Amino acid sequence: MKLAYFPGCKISFYLNDYDLSFRAVMAALDVELVALPFNCCGYPARGESLEISILSSVKNLALARAQNLDIITPCKCCFGQFRHAEHWY
């Protein structure tokens, strides 16, 4: 199985062990994580501009869809933002 991997903004920089653990679990489950040129999920902008936050998420969802992939993220804020964007989109 292949999934587009969205680590989120903080995990790669501040939670490296969490990222490594997540990748190890996915490898053990025989899940191939595909890196795409994602931008921010939009969550940080959500309090300032609903449109910007939704458009940021939708761009990421479109990148994954163009590759015929679903997105997986270990970040609870990114997950929630993607679900929020799907609701509004």
Side-chain angles (χ1 to χ4, degrees):
M1 168 186 275
K2 282 181 160 181
L3 296 171
Y5 180 47
F6 189 90
C9 300
K10 291 186 176 183
I11 289 175
S12 298
F13 296 105
Y14 300 113
L15 301 168
N16 192 47
D17 290 340
Y18 184 53
D19 182 53
L20 293 173
S21 297
F22 182 80
R23 289 174 183 272
V25 168
M26 293 296 105
L29 295 172
D30 203 27
V31 174
E32 180 183 344
L33 298 176
V34 178
L36 296 176
F38 290 127
N39 52 263
C40 178
C41 72
Y43 180 76
R46 195 160 149 187
E48 299 296 320
S49 171
L50 179 63
E51 288 112 0
I52 290 172
S53 72
I54 298 300
L55 289 173
S56 292
S57 290
V58 168
K59 179 183 179 243
N60 292 324
L61 294 169
L63 282 171
R65 186 168 292 152
Q67 299 294 319
N68 210 21
L69 296 171
D70 290 324
I71 294 178
I72 189 166
T73 181
C75 176
K76 66 179 182 161
C77 293
C78 295
F79 174 81
Q81 178 61 27
F82 286 136
R83 298 292 294 163
H84 187 73
E86 287 174 338
H87 169 77
W88 287 102
Y89 185 69

